[in-house]
Amino acid sequence: MSVRQNQIVEIVKSEQPITSEQVAERLNLTRAALRADLSILTMTGILEARPNVGYSMTGRMPTNMIADFINNILVKDIKTRPVVVNVDTSVYDCVVNLFLEDVGTIFVQSGGYLAGVVSRKDFLKYAIGRTDLDRIPVSMVMTRMPNIVTLEDNETLARAIAKMVEHQVDCIPVIGRDAPGDGRERFKITGRISKTGIITVIHEMLED
Ligand code: ADP
């Protein structure tokens, strides 16, 4: 939307229903100067025009705005707090963590760097028929580096969704790259993008 169209939407939002004369007045413009923008906003379904009443919001968002949002918003703006444990944490303590933190995936670090990812199914697979969960470290059940799908701050939400679908995972660690002296690349965990998080962000956008 153009700056002018955004201004019109803001005016209609706060004063609806409002006539085109009144919108023109607020913007110090003539009605004729507004005609094109008002018809675009009506045709795209953002505004609705009722004869003898005026313009009001329809509450609908055009599909291209949703696509714009998904293609432009960045991982750094929507990532949430990661739940991280150390490689030597027991499977039992990780499961307790899963419930306490209300998440489905836990990230595992070693020496402060990403070492693994562990999800509900990993725990279930391991736990069936066993009683030694408090003695087994999470490193025995996790998916390890370098097989971990990661995201970086400047990737888009569209990219995050594509990675989740392509690799069939529910949650992806957001990482910062760190190259210590030995030349081996290591990743700091800076956040998480989960399916639940994405649904929450889209819900908030639609509520707005
Ligand atoms: P769930 O176990 O709840 O179905 P997922 O579908 O995310 O959760 O996990 C399926 C498998 O993929 C598990 O073995 C898990 O360790 C692994 N996994 C989860 N997230 C990632 C990721 N970001 N990168 C690589 N593997 C992952």
Side-chain angles (χ1 to χ4, degrees):
M1 276 200 286
S2 68
V3 174
R4 168 84 50 80
Q5 287 162 7
N6 266 314
Q7 288 172 324
I8 296 172
V9 166
E10 288 310 313
I11 292 169
V12 175
K13 256 189 210 161
S14 59
E15 299 185 48
Q16 58 187 330
I18 181 169
T19 64
S20 56
E21 286 92 346
Q22 290 168 321
V23 178
E25 225 169 77
R26 306 282 182 282
L27 290 170
N28 280 325
L29 293 167
T30 63
R31 262 180 78 193
L34 278 188
R35 196 164 297 133
D37 285 324
L38 282 171
S39 52
I40 289 171
L41 289 170
T42 314
M43 276 182 325
T44 48
I46 298 173
L47 298 187
E48 114 185 277
R50 270 178 293 159
N52 304 323
V53 180
Y55 289 89
S56 48
M57 302 294 295
T58 59
R60 287 197 300 273
M61 191 177 282
T63 45
N64 64 343
M65 277 176 71
I66 299 174
D68 274 357
F69 177 81
I70 291 175
N71 283 316
N72 290 309
I73 194 160
L74 298 177
V75 160
K76 66 170 168 232
D77 299 320
I78 55 171
K79 68 184 180 183
T80 52
R81 187 179 59 85
V83 176
V84 183
V85 298
N86 262 310
V87 267
D88 55 4
T89 309
S90 72
V91 169
Y92 182 91
D93 284 344
C94 286
V95 174
V96 170
N97 241 306
L98 208 68
F99 282 100
L100 288 179
E101 299 276 0
D102 194 19
V103 292
T105 307
I106 291 180
F107 304 143
V108 185
Q109 67 178 5
S110 172
Y113 295 101
L114 176 63
V117 167
V118 62
S119 74
R120 281 174 282 223
K121 242 176 268 151
D122 297 325
F123 290 126
L124 284 173
K125 204 165 29 173
Y126 188 81
I128 285 178
R130 291 193 202 236
T131 52
D132 58 354
L133 304 188
D134 55 336
R135 276 178 286 121
I136 301 300
V138 67
S139 53
M140 295 283 289
V141 303
M142 69 188 190
T143 299
R144 312 177 148 268
M145 284 292 281
N147 299 323
I148 300 176
V149 182
T150 58
L151 281 165
E152 289 181 64
D153 274 347
N154 288 326
E155 292 187 78
T156 62
L157 172 55
R159 191 82 193 102
I161 293 173
K163 283 187 178 179
M164 280 181 176
V165 173
E166 211 172 294
H167 298 279
Q168 300 183 4
V169 294
D170 293 348
C171 184
I172 301 184
V174 181
I175 50 106
R177 286 174 191 274
D178 212 7
D182 61 11
R184 274 176 44 211
E185 208 171 27
R186 290 172 186 162
F187 302 149
K188 286 267 183 208
I189 306 166
T190 70
R192 70 200 292 270
I193 298 285
S194 66
K195 283 186 182 168
T196 311
I198 291 176
I199 289 172
T200 307
V201 164
I202 291 176
H203 173 70
E204 282 166 4
M205 178 206 57
L206 293 173
E207 291 278 285
D208 273 353

